[in-house]
Amino acid sequence: MPEGTAQAIIPDNALQFRNDTHRKTDPVPTQTSLWRAFTPVGATYDPLSGDAETDVTILGAGFTGLSTALHLAKAGTTVTVLEAEDVGYGASGRNNGQVIPVLTRADPDALCARFGEAGERFVKLIGSSAAYLFDLVREHGLNCEAEQNGWIQPAHTPGRFKAISENRFRQWEKHGAEVELIDKSELDRRIGTNFFFGGFGNRTGGHINPLALTRELARAAVENGAVIHEKSPALSYGQEGDGWRVTTPDGTIRSRALVVATNAYTGELAPGLAPRLARSVMPVTSWQLATAPLSDNVRSTVVPDRQAISDTHGDLHFFRYDARNRLITGGALAMPFNGHQRIRARIAKRLQRIFPQYVEPEIEYSWTGYVGATRDHTPHFHRLGPNGWTWIGCNGRGVALSVTLGGELAKAVMGAEEQDLAFPLTEIEPLPMHKFLRLTSRPFTLSLYRYRDWREMG
Ligand SMILES: Cc1cc2nc3c(=O)[nH]c(=O)nc-3n(C[C@H](O)[C@H](O)[C@H](O)COP(=O)(O)OP(=O)(O)OC[C@H]3O[C@@H](n4cnc5c(N)ncnc54)[C@H](O)[C@@H]3O)c2cc1C
């Protein structure tokens, strides 16, 4: 454990359920997530009622909204966060908690070629995002089971290892990131399997309990003067005079600036809020699973140094330990029917294939969340009007990114020039036939990924 890293081992008997807010808008009816079962209950915040004014209104209490609120509140700005459900209801409270300072596909050369100087600044932000998150955790004493032990991307074929060595590794090294290329024998030792063919590592990565981090960001933001309202879905927003007006079921709030931080959940809880923005991403269901705690014996060979691992498969293979020594893993299903049972069986088999020494993995928790997928596999940043900002589409790599973007969005709200912001602005582009594609495209894309994964093995 690196010096100063926040680490809180929560005893296994600390089962504390807040009202189970997984509700019928969930992609599939879920069971309680591991994070909801074991994370200490946070504060609750009253709904917005009546007319209010603030300097900055933020919609959504996930990493993006709360990190932005924390940065603004620290700078002395009056800021109010409206959350439709409760803090961490969206992806931030449900994810795998891997702190990864690279995007899924787009590497530095592609981002710089596409976005020019803004791309260069964005690359710098991505590359520093894991360190940024862990520094924020240390600075504010955020109690979130943080372990900065590094992140590793193992290659599932020799061809992928070659591609990583020649592209991803070389490009990030050129940009000064703390990356390493790991040969097969060293990787076999680090992960505890001969399933992979070498890998790419970043020493600044690691993992956190995401729901704990979300609740702790809320605590820190409020301690610095931010106001949060839960159970306050923004139904609509619009420009009024020089500023913005947001309506909820029981109130309105006026402000100079607006940050829409609803990400992949934009169209889920108040469909009329920002329909064009909602149609610019595809919310894709990701299944998360937690095993029973591993025995000391097995743990001494399975990822003994506790890094976060996510590999090169299109049908991603990923896992990390939590503070109670469970493996937190997951996967994808083409169709959700009988999902909990099918995904548990599928991933137990996968774990056994990767780790033959881990006999009969037992899955104890399964839950789901929406990942916001964009057509170009790259996050999108938009100006909604004067002093109105949003971003959307993490493509599964948004833990470090969204926390770091909080600092950048705060800068934007406080009046930074566009050429000083570390994200490239584009126009909102709704996807054609969004509703139809949402219903039909998953089986095809996943089958395509699996076919490619299989073909590359040959
Ligand atoms: C299952 C899963 C696993 C993942 N694993 C990883 C990982 O290991 N590593 C990684 O880097 N990334 C991962 N991600 C991505 C990462 O979780 C997200 O990118 C990140 O949490 C996005 O944070 P956010 O604050 O922008 O959005 P969210 O956390 O989704 O927050 C949006 C919030 O807006 C609220 N909201 C929606 N509509 C309204 C409204 N009308 N009014 C008010 N509030 C509203 C929602 O309730 C929600 O709380 C994963 C995502 C999922 C779903």
Side-chain angles (χ1 to χ4, degrees):
M1 166 86 25
E3 203 182 74
T5 303
Q7 166 88 334
I9 306 291
I10 298 169
D12 251 13
N13 61 6
L15 273 172
Q16 303 186 54
F17 292 90
R18 190 159 159 183
N19 56 330
D20 183 7
T21 56
H22 294 289
R23 23 169 268 176
K24 53 179 182 300
T25 51
D26 274 354
V28 288
T30 60
Q31 299 185 6
T32 299
S33 79
L34 174 91
W35 307 126
R36 288 243 169 217
F38 285 97
T39 304
V41 179
T44 52
Y45 305 96
D46 290 337
L48 177 71
S49 154
D51 289 340
E53 285 198 14
T54 185
D55 193 35
V56 184
T57 305
I58 297 175
L59 309 185
F63 294 146
T64 302
L66 294 167
S67 173
T68 308
L70 172 59
H71 284 88
L72 286 168
K74 267 165 55 183
T77 304
T78 319
V79 53
T80 301
V81 182
L82 302 181
E83 165 54 49
E85 287 291 336
D86 66 347
V87 164
Y89 175 80
S92 300
R94 300 165 186 247
N95 64 61
N96 201 257
Q98 298 206 12
V99 182
I100 304 173
V102 304
L103 298 183
T104 328
R105 296 204 188 170
D107 279 327
D109 285 359
L111 292 169
C112 295
R114 181 167 169 203
F115 298 115
E117 285 180 13
E120 298 267 356
R121 295 192 294 275
F122 188 36
V123 165
K124 209 165 177 188
L125 179 135
I126 297 164
S128 63
S129 60
Y132 188 100
L133 181 149
F134 285 111
D135 284 349
L136 198 72
V137 164
R138 284 186 277 264
E139 181 188 343
H140 292 278
L142 307 176
N143 202 348
C144 62
E145 302 168 7
E147 296 187 40
Q148 194 174 13
N149 296 341
W151 169 71
I152 296 176
Q153 182 174 43
H156 72 283
T157 63
R160 283 300 179 108
F161 183 54
K162 186 164 182 278
I164 283 180
S165 321
E166 290 171 3
N167 297 308
R168 173 155 281 189
F169 169 70
R170 187 183 52 74
Q171 291 178 31
W172 279 111
E173 188 182 43
K174 191 175 77 188
H175 283 270
E178 284 189 44
V179 290
E180 59 179 332
L181 205 53
I182 309 163
D183 66 26
K184 176 160 171 52
S185 63
E186 173 60 10
L187 189 79
D188 287 358
R189 187 200 69 74
R190 286 203 208 174
I191 304 192
T193 174
N194 62 11
F195 188 84
F196 299 107
F197 294 85
F200 167 78
N202 187 307
R203 297 180 197 91
T204 63
H207 48 87
I208 43 100
N209 168 337
L211 184 59
L213 177 58
T214 319
R215 289 179 179 168
E216 283 287 90
L217 282 169
R219 174 188 62 75
V222 167
E223 278 173 11
N224 280 273
V227 173
I228 298 175
H229 295 294
E230 293 177 319
K231 303 286 174 205
S232 303
L235 302 177
S236 65
Y237 66 80
Q239 281 176 258
E240 189 177 84
D242 292 344
W244 297 86
R245 180 174 187 267
V246 175
T247 311
T248 69
D250 297 316
T252 58
I253 186 160
R254 290 178 178 75
S255 57
R256 177 186 62 80
L258 174 72
V259 177
V260 176
T262 48
N263 223 317
Y265 286 75
T266 301
E268 302 310 304
L269 307 173
L273 179 73
R276 291 185 77 247
L277 184 65
R279 292 204 312 275
S280 69
V281 294
M282 202 53 83
V284 176
T285 301
S286 167
W287 292 82
Q288 301 290 302
L289 306 176
T291 67
L294 273 61
S295 68
D296 291 351
N297 226 359
V298 176
R299 210 154 33 85
S300 66
T301 63
V302 171
V303 200
D305 300 330
R306 300 176 66 87
Q307 297 94 336
I309 314 284
S310 36
D311 82 345
T312 50
H313 276 95
D315 180 9
L316 194 69
H317 293 27
F318 57 92
F319 36 87
R320 39 81 39 119
Y321 283 109
D322 79 341
R324 289 151 295 272
N325 300 319
R326 297 170 188 272
L327 274 185
I328 317 299
T329 175
L333 288 177
M335 305 291 273
F337 68 88
N338 201 14
H340 289 282
Q341 211 178 323
R342 285 169 54 231
I343 195 81
R344 285 175 180 220
R346 182 181 181 87
I347 300 303
K349 259 195 214 149
R350 177 185 290 175
L351 286 177
Q352 233 173 352
R353 221 171 37 244
I354 301 176
F355 301 112
Q357 71 273 40
Y358 179 19
V359 182
E360 292 190 23
E362 194 188 335
I363 310 284
E364 291 195 340
Y365 291 83
S366 50
W367 67 99
T368 60
Y370 283 139
V371 168
T374 56
R375 201 162 29 182
D376 57 7
H377 308 285
T378 306
H380 296 172
F381 302 88
H382 310 295
R383 197 196 278 272
L384 298 169
N387 258 320
W389 306 89
T390 191
W391 86 278
I392 196 159
C394 69
N395 295 281
R397 290 283 161 82
V399 170
L401 185 65
S402 52
V403 170
T404 308
L405 281 170
E408 213 54 25
L409 287 165
K411 262 170 62 184
V413 161
M414 289 190 289
E417 297 293 332
E418 192 175 320
Q419 64 268 21
D420 295 326
L421 295 174
F423 50 76
L425 286 163
T426 56
E427 293 299 316
I428 297 174
E429 282 186 48
L431 293 162
M433 300 194 302
H434 186 268
K435 223 181 203 158
F436 173 74
L437 287 176
R438 182 166 180 185
L439 283 173
T440 57
S441 62
R442 187 57 177 156
F444 294 109
T445 47
L446 190 59
S447 304
L448 180 67
Y449 289 156
R450 286 182 181 157
Y451 171 70
R452 282 192 196 139
D453 290 342
W454 169 80
R455 203 185 51 185
E456 286 175 27
M457 301 287 293

